[in-house]
Coordinates of all heavy atoms in Angstrom, one line a residue:
D17 N -17.6 22.3 -10.7 CA -18.2 21.3 -11.6 C -18.4 20.0 -10.9 O -18.1 19.9 -9.7 CB -17.4 21.2 -12.9 CG -16.0 20.6 -12.7 OD1 -15.5 20.4 -11.5 OD2 -15.3 20.4 -13.7
D18 N -18.8 19.0 -11.7 CA -19.1 17.6 -11.1 C -17.9 17.0 -10.4 O -18.0 16.4 -9.4 CB -19.6 16.7 -12.1 CG -21.0 17.0 -12.5 OD1 -21.7 17.9 -11.8 OD2 -21.5 16.5 -13.5
Q19 N -16.7 17.2 -11.1 CA -15.5 16.6 -10.5 C -15.2 17.2 -9.1 O -14.8 16.5 -8.2 CB -14.3 16.8 -11.5 CG -13.0 16.1 -11.0 CD -13.1 14.6 -11.0 OE1 -14.0 14.0 -11.6 NE2 -12.2 13.9 -10.3
I20 N -15.3 18.5 -9.0 CA -15.0 19.1 -7.7 C -16.0 18.7 -6.7 O -15.6 18.4 -5.6 CB -15.0 20.7 -7.9 CG1 -13.7 21.1 -8.8 CG2 -14.9 21.4 -6.6 CD1 -13.7 22.5 -9.2
K21 N -17.2 18.6 -7.0 CA -18.3 18.2 -6.1 C -18.0 16.8 -5.6 O -18.1 16.5 -4.4 CB -19.6 18.2 -6.7 CG -20.2 19.6 -6.8 CD -21.6 19.5 -7.5 CE -22.0 21.0 -7.9 NZ -23.0 20.9 -8.9
K22 N -17.5 15.9 -6.5 CA -17.2 14.5 -6.1 C -16.0 14.5 -5.2 O -16.1 13.8 -4.2 CB -16.9 13.7 -7.4 CG -16.7 12.2 -7.1 CD -16.6 11.4 -8.3 CE -16.5 10.0 -7.8 NZ -16.7 9.0 -8.7
I23 N -15.0 15.3 -5.4 CA -13.8 15.3 -4.6 C -14.2 15.8 -3.2 O -13.7 15.3 -2.2 CB -12.7 16.2 -5.2 CG1 -12.1 15.4 -6.4 CG2 -11.6 16.5 -4.2 CD1 -11.2 16.2 -7.3
E24 N -15.1 16.8 -3.1 CA -15.5 17.4 -1.9 C -16.3 16.3 -1.0 O -16.1 16.3 0.2 CB -16.4 18.6 -2.1 CG -15.6 19.8 -2.5 CD -16.5 21.0 -2.9 OE1 -17.7 20.8 -3.0 OE2 -15.9 22.1 -3.1
K25 N -17.0 15.5 -1.7 CA -17.8 14.5 -1.0 C -16.9 13.3 -0.5 O -17.1 12.8 0.5 CB -18.9 13.9 -1.9 CG -20.2 14.7 -1.9 CD -21.3 13.9 -2.5 CE -21.7 14.6 -3.8 NZ -22.6 13.8 -4.6
E26 N -16.0 12.9 -1.4 CA -15.1 11.7 -1.1 C -13.7 12.1 -1.0 O -13.0 12.4 -2.0 CB -15.3 10.7 -2.2 CG -16.7 10.2 -2.3 CD -16.9 9.1 -3.3 OE1 -15.9 8.3 -3.6 OE2 -17.9 9.0 -3.9
P27 N -13.1 12.2 0.2 CA -11.7 12.6 0.4 C -10.8 11.6 -0.3 O -11.1 10.4 -0.4 CB -11.5 12.5 1.9 CG -12.8 12.2 2.5 CD -13.8 11.9 1.5
Q28 N -9.7 12.1 -0.8 CA -8.7 11.3 -1.5 C -8.0 10.3 -0.6 O -7.6 10.7 0.5 CB -7.7 12.1 -2.3 CG -8.4 13.0 -3.3 CD -7.3 13.8 -4.1 OE1 -6.2 13.8 -3.8 NE2 -7.8 14.5 -5.1
V29 N -7.9 9.1 -1.0 CA -7.2 8.1 -0.2 C -5.7 8.4 -0.2 O -5.0 8.4 0.8 CB -7.4 6.7 -0.8 CG1 -6.5 5.6 -0.2 CG2 -8.8 6.3 -0.7
N30 N -5.2 8.7 -1.4 CA -3.8 9.0 -1.6 C -3.6 10.5 -1.3 O -3.9 11.4 -2.0 CB -3.3 8.7 -3.0 CG -1.8 9.1 -3.2 OD1 -1.1 9.3 -2.3 ND2 -1.4 9.0 -4.5
Q31 N -2.9 10.8 -0.1 CA -2.7 12.2 0.3 C -1.4 12.8 -0.3 O -1.3 14.0 -0.3 CB -2.7 12.3 1.8 CG -4.0 11.9 2.4 CD -5.1 12.9 2.1 OE1 -4.9 14.1 2.2 NE2 -6.3 12.5 1.7
S32 N -0.4 12.0 -0.6 CA 0.9 12.6 -1.0 C 1.8 11.8 -2.0 O 2.8 12.4 -2.4 CB 1.7 12.8 0.3 OG 1.9 11.5 0.9
L33 N 1.4 10.6 -2.4 CA 2.4 9.8 -3.2 C 2.2 10.0 -4.7 O 1.1 9.8 -5.2 CB 2.2 8.3 -2.8 CG 2.5 8.0 -1.4 CD1 1.9 6.6 -1.1 CD2 4.0 8.0 -1.1
S34 N 3.2 10.5 -5.3 CA 3.3 10.6 -6.8 C 2.0 11.3 -7.3 O 1.4 10.9 -8.3 CB 3.4 9.2 -7.5 OG 4.6 8.6 -7.0
K35 N 1.7 12.5 -6.7 CA 0.5 13.1 -7.1 C 0.5 13.7 -8.5 O -0.5 14.2 -9.1 CB 0.1 14.2 -6.1 CG -0.2 13.7 -4.7 CD -1.4 12.7 -4.7 CE -2.7 13.5 -4.6 NZ -3.8 12.5 -4.5
D36 N 1.7 13.8 -9.1 CA 1.9 14.3 -10.5 C 1.4 13.2 -11.5 O 1.3 13.6 -12.7 CB 3.3 14.7 -10.7 CG 4.3 13.5 -10.5 OD1 4.1 12.8 -9.5 OD2 5.3 13.4 -11.3
K37 N 1.2 12.0 -11.1 CA 0.8 10.9 -12.0 C -0.7 10.8 -12.0 O -1.4 11.1 -11.0 CB 1.4 9.6 -11.6 CG 2.9 9.5 -11.7 CD 3.4 8.1 -11.3 CE 4.9 8.1 -11.4 NZ 5.4 6.8 -10.7
D38 N -1.3 10.4 -13.2 CA -2.7 10.1 -13.3 C -3.2 9.0 -12.4 O -4.3 8.9 -11.9 CB -3.1 9.9 -14.7 CG -3.0 11.1 -15.6 OD1 -3.0 12.2 -15.0 OD2 -2.9 10.9 -16.8
K39 N -2.3 8.0 -12.3 CA -2.6 6.8 -11.5 C -1.3 6.2 -11.0 O -0.3 6.1 -11.7 CB -3.2 5.7 -12.5 CG -3.8 4.5 -11.8 CD -4.2 3.4 -12.8 CE -5.3 3.9 -13.7 NZ -5.7 2.8 -14.6
V40 N -1.3 5.8 -9.8 CA -0.1 5.2 -9.2 C -0.2 3.6 -9.2 O -1.1 3.1 -8.6 CB 0.1 5.6 -7.7 CG1 1.4 5.0 -7.1 CG2 0.1 7.1 -7.6
V41 N 0.6 3.0 -10.0 CA 0.6 1.6 -10.2 C 2.0 1.0 -10.0 O 3.0 1.6 -10.4 CB 0.1 1.2 -11.6 CG1 0.2 -0.3 -11.9 CG2 -1.2 1.8 -11.9
H42 N 2.1 -0.1 -9.3 CA 3.3 -0.8 -9.2 C 3.1 -2.2 -9.7 O 2.1 -2.9 -9.4 CB 3.8 -0.9 -7.7 CG 4.1 0.4 -7.1 ND1 3.1 1.2 -6.6 CD2 5.3 1.1 -7.1 CE1 3.7 2.4 -6.1 NE2 5.0 2.3 -6.4
V43 N 4.1 -2.7 -10.5 CA 4.0 -4.0 -11.1 C 5.2 -4.9 -10.6 O 6.3 -4.4 -10.7 CB 4.0 -4.0 -12.6 CG1 4.0 -5.4 -13.2 CG2 2.8 -3.1 -13.1
Y44 N 4.9 -6.0 -10.1 CA 5.9 -7.0 -9.6 C 5.8 -8.3 -10.3 O 4.6 -8.8 -10.5 CB 5.8 -7.2 -8.1 CG 6.2 -6.1 -7.3 CD1 5.3 -5.1 -6.8 CD2 7.5 -5.9 -6.9 CE1 5.6 -4.1 -6.1 CE2 7.9 -4.8 -6.1 CZ 6.9 -3.9 -5.7 OH 7.3 -2.8 -5.0
D45 N 6.9 -8.8 -10.8 CA 6.8 -10.2 -11.3 C 6.9 -11.2 -10.2 O 7.7 -11.0 -9.3 CB 8.1 -10.4 -12.3 CG 8.0 -11.6 -13.1 OD1 7.8 -12.7 -12.5 OD2 8.1 -11.6 -14.3
I46 N 6.0 -12.2 -10.2 CA 6.0 -13.1 -9.2 C 7.3 -13.8 -8.9 O 7.7 -14.1 -7.8 CB 4.8 -14.1 -9.4 CG1 4.5 -14.9 -8.2 CG2 5.2 -15.1 -10.6 CD1 3.2 -15.7 -8.2
K47 N 8.1 -13.9 -10.0 CA 9.4 -14.6 -9.8 C 10.4 -13.7 -9.0 O 11.3 -14.2 -8.5 CB 10.0 -14.8 -11.2 CG 9.3 -15.9 -12.0 CD 10.1 -16.3 -13.2 CE 9.2 -16.9 -14.3 NZ 8.6 -15.9 -15.2
D48 N 10.1 -12.4 -9.0 CA 10.9 -11.5 -8.2 C 10.5 -11.4 -6.7 O 11.3 -11.2 -5.8 CB 10.9 -10.1 -8.8 CG 11.5 -10.1 -10.2 OD1 12.4 -10.9 -10.4 OD2 11.1 -9.2 -11.0
I49 N 9.2 -11.6 -6.5 CA 8.7 -11.6 -5.1 C 9.1 -12.8 -4.3 O 9.5 -12.7 -3.2 CB 7.1 -11.5 -5.1 CG1 6.7 -10.2 -5.8 CG2 6.6 -11.6 -3.7 CD1 5.2 -10.0 -5.9
Q50 N 9.1 -14.0 -5.0 CA 9.5 -15.2 -4.2 C 10.8 -15.1 -3.6 O 11.0 -15.4 -2.4 CB 9.4 -16.4 -5.2 CG 9.6 -17.7 -4.4 CD 9.2 -18.9 -5.1 OE1 8.3 -18.8 -6.0 NE2 9.8 -20.0 -4.8
P51 N 11.9 -14.7 -4.3 CA 13.2 -14.5 -3.6 C 13.2 -13.6 -2.4 O 13.8 -13.8 -1.4 CB 14.2 -14.1 -4.7 CG 13.5 -14.4 -6.0 CD 12.0 -14.4 -5.7
E52 N 12.4 -12.5 -2.5 CA 12.2 -11.5 -1.4 C 11.6 -12.2 -0.2 O 12.0 -11.9 0.9 CB 11.4 -10.3 -1.9 CG 12.1 -9.4 -2.9 CD 13.4 -8.8 -2.4 OE1 13.4 -8.3 -1.2 OE2 14.4 -8.9 -3.1
C53 N 10.6 -13.0 -0.5 CA 9.9 -13.7 0.6 C 10.9 -14.7 1.2 O 11.0 -14.8 2.5 CB 8.7 -14.5 0.1 SG 7.3 -13.6 -0.3
D54 N 11.6 -15.4 0.4 CA 12.5 -16.4 0.9 C 13.6 -15.8 1.8 O 14.0 -16.4 2.8 CB 13.2 -17.1 -0.3 CG 12.2 -18.0 -1.0 OD1 11.2 -18.3 -0.4 OD2 12.6 -18.4 -2.1
K55 N 14.1 -14.6 1.5 CA 15.2 -14.1 2.3 C 14.7 -13.3 3.5 O 15.4 -13.0 4.4 CB 16.1 -13.2 1.4 CG 15.7 -11.9 1.0 CD 16.8 -11.2 0.2 CE 16.3 -9.8 -0.3 NZ 17.1 -9.3 -1.3
A56 N 13.4 -12.9 3.5 CA 12.8 -12.2 4.7 C 12.7 -13.1 5.9 O 12.5 -14.4 5.7 CB 11.4 -11.7 4.3
Q57 N 12.9 -12.6 7.1 CA 12.9 -13.4 8.3 C 11.6 -14.2 8.5 O 11.7 -15.4 8.8 CB 13.1 -12.4 9.5 CG 13.6 -13.1 10.7 CD 14.0 -12.1 11.7 OE1 13.5 -11.0 11.8 NE2 15.0 -12.5 12.6
N58 N 10.5 -13.6 8.2 CA 9.2 -14.3 8.3 C 8.7 -14.9 7.0 O 7.5 -15.2 6.9 CB 8.2 -13.5 9.0 CG 7.9 -12.2 8.3 OD1 8.5 -11.9 7.2 ND2 7.1 -11.3 8.8
K59 N 9.5 -14.9 6.0 CA 9.2 -15.5 4.7 C 8.0 -14.8 4.1 O 7.1 -15.4 3.4 CB 8.9 -17.0 4.8 CG 10.1 -17.8 5.4 CD 11.1 -18.0 4.3 CE 12.2 -19.0 4.8 NZ 13.5 -18.5 4.5
S60 N 7.9 -13.5 4.3 CA 6.7 -12.8 3.7 C 7.2 -11.3 3.3 O 8.1 -10.8 3.8 CB 5.5 -12.7 4.6 OG 5.8 -11.9 5.7
V61 N 6.4 -10.8 2.4 CA 6.6 -9.4 2.0 C 5.2 -8.7 2.1 O 4.2 -9.2 1.7 CB 7.1 -9.2 0.5 CG1 7.3 -7.8 0.1 CG2 8.5 -9.9 0.4
S62 N 5.2 -7.5 2.8 CA 3.9 -6.8 3.0 C 3.8 -5.5 2.2 O 4.8 -4.7 2.2 CB 3.8 -6.5 4.5 OG 3.8 -7.6 5.3
Y63 N 2.7 -5.4 1.5 CA 2.5 -4.2 0.6 C 1.5 -3.3 1.3 O 0.4 -3.8 1.7 CB 2.1 -4.7 -0.8 CG 3.1 -5.4 -1.5 CD1 3.2 -6.8 -1.4 CD2 4.1 -4.7 -2.2 CE1 4.2 -7.5 -2.0 CE2 5.1 -5.4 -2.9 CZ 5.2 -6.8 -2.8 OH 6.2 -7.5 -3.4
C64 N 1.8 -2.0 1.3 CA 0.9 -1.0 1.9 C -0.4 -0.9 1.2 O -0.5 -0.8 0.0 CB 1.7 0.3 2.0 SG 0.7 1.7 2.7
R65 N -1.5 -0.8 2.0 CA -2.8 -0.5 1.4 C -3.4 0.7 2.1 O -4.6 1.1 1.8 CB -3.8 -1.7 1.6 CG -3.3 -2.9 0.9 CD -4.4 -4.0 0.8 NE -4.7 -4.5 2.1 CZ -5.6 -5.5 2.3 NH1 -6.2 -6.0 1.3 NH2 -5.8 -5.9 3.5
C66 N -2.6 1.4 3.0 CA -3.2 2.6 3.6 C -2.6 3.9 3.0 O -3.1 5.0 3.3 CB -2.8 2.6 5.1 SG -1.1 3.0 5.5
W67 N -1.7 3.7 2.1 CA -1.1 4.8 1.3 C -0.3 5.8 2.2 O -0.1 6.9 1.8 CB -2.2 5.6 0.5 CG -2.7 4.8 -0.6 CD1 -3.7 3.8 -0.6 CD2 -2.3 4.8 -2.0 NE1 -3.9 3.2 -1.8 CE2 -3.1 3.9 -2.7 CE3 -1.4 5.6 -2.7 CZ2 -2.9 3.7 -4.1 CZ3 -1.3 5.4 -4.0 CH2 -2.0 4.4 -4.7
K68 N 0.1 5.4 3.3 CA 0.8 6.3 4.2 C 2.2 5.8 4.5 O 3.0 6.5 5.3 CB 0.0 6.5 5.5 CG -1.3 7.2 5.2 CD -2.0 7.6 6.4 CE -3.2 8.5 6.0 NZ -4.1 8.9 7.0
S69 N 2.6 4.7 4.0 CA 4.0 4.2 4.3 C 5.1 5.0 3.7 O 5.0 5.5 2.6 CB 4.1 2.7 3.7 OG 5.4 2.3 3.8
K70 N 6.1 5.2 4.5 CA 7.3 5.9 4.0 C 8.1 5.1 3.0 O 9.0 5.5 2.3 CB 8.2 6.3 5.2 CG 7.6 7.2 6.2 CD 7.6 8.7 5.9 CE 7.1 9.6 7.0 NZ 5.7 9.5 7.2
K71 N 7.8 3.8 3.0 CA 8.5 2.8 2.1 C 7.5 2.4 1.0 O 7.8 1.3 0.4 CB 9.0 1.6 2.9 CG 10.1 1.9 3.8 CD 10.5 0.7 4.8 CE 10.1 -0.6 4.4 NZ 10.4 -1.7 5.3
F72 N 6.4 3.1 0.7 CA 5.5 2.7 -0.3 C 6.1 2.3 -1.6 O 7.0 3.0 -2.0 CB 4.5 3.9 -0.5 CG 3.2 3.5 -1.2 CD1 2.1 3.0 -0.5 CD2 3.1 3.5 -2.6 CE1 1.0 2.6 -1.1 CE2 2.0 3.2 -3.2 CZ 0.9 2.7 -2.5
P73 N 5.7 1.2 -2.2 CA 4.5 0.4 -1.9 C 4.7 -0.7 -0.8 O 3.7 -1.4 -0.6 CB 4.2 -0.2 -3.3 CG 5.6 -0.5 -3.9 CD 6.4 0.7 -3.4
L74 N 5.8 -0.7 -0.2 CA 5.9 -1.7 0.9 C 5.3 -1.1 2.2 O 5.4 0.1 2.4 CB 7.4 -2.0 1.1 CG 8.1 -2.7 0.0 CD1 9.6 -2.9 0.3 CD2 7.5 -4.1 -0.3
C75 N 4.8 -1.9 3.1 CA 4.3 -1.5 4.4 C 5.4 -1.3 5.3 O 6.4 -2.0 5.4 CB 3.4 -2.7 4.9 SG 2.9 -2.4 6.6
D76 N 5.3 -0.2 6.1 CA 6.3 0.1 7.1 C 5.6 0.2 8.5 O 6.3 0.6 9.5 CB 7.1 1.4 6.8 CG 6.3 2.6 7.0 OD1 5.0 2.5 7.2 OD2 6.8 3.7 6.9
G77 N 4.4 -0.2 8.6 CA 3.7 -0.3 9.9 C 2.9 1.0 10.2 O 2.3 1.1 11.3
T78 N 3.0 2.0 9.3 CA 2.3 3.3 9.6 C 0.8 3.1 9.7 O 0.2 3.9 10.4 CB 2.7 4.3 8.5 OG1 4.1 4.5 8.4 CG2 2.0 5.6 8.7
H79 N 0.3 2.0 9.2 CA -1.2 1.8 9.3 C -1.6 1.7 10.7 O -2.7 2.0 11.0 CB -1.6 0.5 8.5 CG -0.9 -0.7 9.0 ND1 0.3 -1.2 8.4 CD2 -1.2 -1.6 10.0 CE1 0.6 -2.3 9.0 NE2 -0.3 -2.5 10.0
N80 N -0.7 1.2 11.6 CA -1.1 1.1 13.0 C -1.4 2.5 13.6 O -2.4 2.6 14.3 CB 0.0 0.5 13.8 CG 0.2 -1.0 13.5 OD1 -0.8 -1.7 13.4 ND2 1.4 -1.4 13.2
Q81 N -0.6 3.5 13.3 CA -0.9 4.8 13.8 C -2.1 5.4 13.2 O -3.0 6.1 13.8 CB 0.3 5.8 13.5 CG 0.2 7.1 14.2 CD 0.2 7.0 15.7 OE1 1.1 6.3 16.3 NE2 -0.7 7.6 16.4
H82 N -2.3 5.2 11.8 CA -3.5 5.6 11.1 C -4.7 5.1 11.8 O -5.7 5.8 12.0 CB -3.4 5.2 9.7 CG -4.7 5.3 8.9 ND1 -5.2 6.5 8.5 CD2 -5.7 4.4 8.7 CE1 -6.4 6.4 7.9 NE2 -6.7 5.1 8.0
N83 N -4.7 3.8 12.1 CA -5.9 3.1 12.7 C -6.2 3.7 14.1 O -7.3 3.9 14.4 CB -5.7 1.6 12.8 CG -5.8 0.9 11.4 OD1 -6.2 1.5 10.4 ND2 -5.2 -0.3 11.3
K84 N -5.1 3.9 14.8 CA -5.2 4.5 16.2 C -5.8 5.9 16.1 O -6.7 6.3 16.9 CB -3.8 4.5 16.8 CG -3.8 4.7 18.3 CD -2.4 4.5 18.8 CE -2.3 5.1 20.2 NZ -0.9 5.3 20.6
D85 N -5.3 6.7 15.2 CA -5.8 8.1 15.0 C -7.2 8.2 14.5 O -7.9 9.2 14.9 CB -4.9 8.9 14.1 CG -3.5 9.1 14.7 OD1 -3.3 8.8 15.9 OD2 -2.6 9.4 13.9
T86 N -7.6 7.3 13.7 CA -8.9 7.5 12.9 C -10.0 6.5 13.3 O -11.1 6.7 12.9 CB -8.7 7.4 11.4 OG1 -8.2 6.0 11.1 CG2 -7.6 8.4 10.9
G87 N -9.6 5.4 14.0 CA -10.6 4.3 14.2 C -10.8 3.4 13.0 O -11.7 2.6 13.0
D88 N -9.9 3.6 12.0 CA -10.0 2.8 10.8 C -9.4 1.4 11.1 O -8.9 1.1 12.2 CB -9.1 3.5 9.7 CG -9.6 3.1 8.3 OD1 -10.4 2.2 8.1 OD2 -9.2 3.9 7.4
N89 N -9.5 0.5 10.1 CA -9.0 -0.9 10.4 C -8.2 -1.4 9.2 O -8.2 -2.6 8.9 CB -10.1 -1.8 10.7 CG -11.1 -2.0 9.5 OD1 -11.0 -1.2 8.6 ND2 -12.0 -2.9 9.6
V90 N -7.4 -0.5 8.6 CA -6.7 -1.0 7.4 C -5.4 -1.7 7.7 O -4.8 -1.5 8.8 CB -6.4 0.2 6.4 CG1 -7.7 0.8 5.9 CG2 -5.5 1.3 7.1
G91 N -4.9 -2.5 6.8 CA -3.7 -3.3 7.0 C -3.1 -3.6 5.7 O -3.7 -3.4 4.6
P92 N -1.9 -4.3 5.7 CA -1.2 -4.5 4.4 C -1.7 -5.8 3.7 O -2.4 -6.6 4.3 CB 0.2 -4.8 4.9 CG 0.1 -5.4 6.3 CD -1.1 -4.6 6.8
L93 N -1.3 -5.9 2.4 CA -1.4 -7.2 1.7 C -0.1 -7.9 2.0 O 0.9 -7.4 1.7 CB -1.6 -6.9 0.2 CG -1.3 -8.1 -0.7 CD1 -2.4 -9.2 -0.5 CD2 -1.2 -7.7 -2.1
V94 N -0.2 -9.1 2.6 CA 0.9 -9.9 2.9 C 1.1 -11.0 1.9 O 0.1 -11.8 1.8 CB 0.8 -10.4 4.3 CG1 2.1 -11.3 4.7 CG2 0.7 -9.3 5.3
V95 N 2.2 -11.1 1.2 CA 2.5 -12.2 0.3 C 3.5 -13.1 1.0 O 4.5 -12.6 1.4 CB 3.1 -11.6 -1.0 CG1 3.4 -12.8 -1.9 CG2 2.1 -10.7 -1.7
T96 N 3.1 -14.3 1.1 CA 4.0 -15.2 1.9 C 4.3 -16.5 1.1 O 3.6 -16.8 0.2 CB 3.3 -15.6 3.2 OG1 4.2 -16.4 4.0 CG2 2.1 -16.4 3.0
N97 N 5.4 -17.0 1.4 CA 5.9 -18.3 0.8 C 6.1 -19.3 1.9 O 7.1 -19.3 2.5 CB 7.2 -18.0 0.0 CG 7.6 -19.3 -0.7 OD1 6.9 -20.2 -0.8 ND2 8.8 -19.2 -1.3
K98 N 5.1 -20.2 2.0 CA 5.1 -21.2 3.1 C 6.0 -22.4 2.8 O 6.3 -23.2 3.6 CB 3.7 -21.6 3.5 CG 3.0 -20.4 4.2 CD 1.6 -20.8 4.5 CE 0.9 -19.7 5.2 NZ -0.5 -19.9 5.5
K99 N 6.3 -22.5 1.5 CA 7.0 -23.7 1.0 C 8.4 -23.7 1.7 O 9.1 -22.7 1.8 CB 7.1 -23.6 -0.5 CG 8.2 -24.3 -1.1 CD 8.3 -24.0 -2.6 CE 9.4 -23.1 -2.8 NZ 9.9 -22.7 -4.1
E100 N 8.8 -24.8 2.2 CA 10.2 -24.9 2.8 C 11.2 -25.4 1.8 O 11.0 -26.2 1.0 CB 10.1 -25.9 4.0 CG 9.3 -25.3 5.2 CD 9.9 -24.0 5.7 OE1 11.1 -23.9 5.9 OE2 9.2 -23.0 5.9
Ligands
LIG23 FE1 0.2 1.1 4.9 FE2 1.1 -0.8 6.5 S1 1.9 1.1 6.2 S2 -0.6 -0.8 5.2

């Protein structure tokens, strides 16, 4: 049917994470992110956008291997707190 044809044309981005769910969503309160940024060495928290991190939804650097293997250019969303 149409859904199967669409899937055949466009490969799924998410290959393995929470495939039992209709949609994978993570919600963070900004007030919780700020302390994480503050305590991190580089004052930032990185969220995965390649869907391959072992620490998903956090980035673990796996995007580097993905980019090397595929020629892609994906990277994380970096939330930073520059305030001193
Ligand atoms: Fe997915 Fe870094 S591991 S963006």
Side-chain angles (χ1 to χ4, degrees):
D17 66 352
D18 287 348
Q19 184 66 18
I20 291 172
K21 282 180 194 157
K22 184 169 182 164
I23 288 170
E24 285 172 352
K25 272 196 249 168
E26 297 181 33
Q28 295 182 357
V29 171
N30 179 12
Q31 295 294 312
S32 61
L33 298 166
S34 303
K35 296 301 276 185
D36 56 320
K37 294 181 182 170
D38 290 338
K39 188 190 298 182
V40 182
V41 176
H42 296 87
V43 177
Y44 289 91
D45 190 307
I46 195 164
K47 292 189 204 87
D48 296 329
I49 295 174
Q50 186 164 333
E52 291 298 315
C53 287
D54 289 344
K55 77 180 178 194
Q57 202 168 25
N58 56 1
K59 303 280 187 226
S60 67
V61 178
S62 299
Y63 294 92
C64 178
R65 295 193 297 184
C66 76
W67 289 81
K68 295 188 171 175
S69 172
K70 301 273 187 293
K71 292 172 21 183
F72 196 87
L74 297 174
C75 170
D76 70 352
T78 301
H79 60 267
N80 291 313
Q81 190 63 51
H82 165 81
N83 288 344
K84 198 171 157 195
D85 293 345
T86 65
D88 209 342
N89 65 347
V90 297
L93 165 68
V94 179
V95 178
T96 187
N97 183 9
K98 292 180 177 171
K99 158 185 104 172
E100 287 302 313

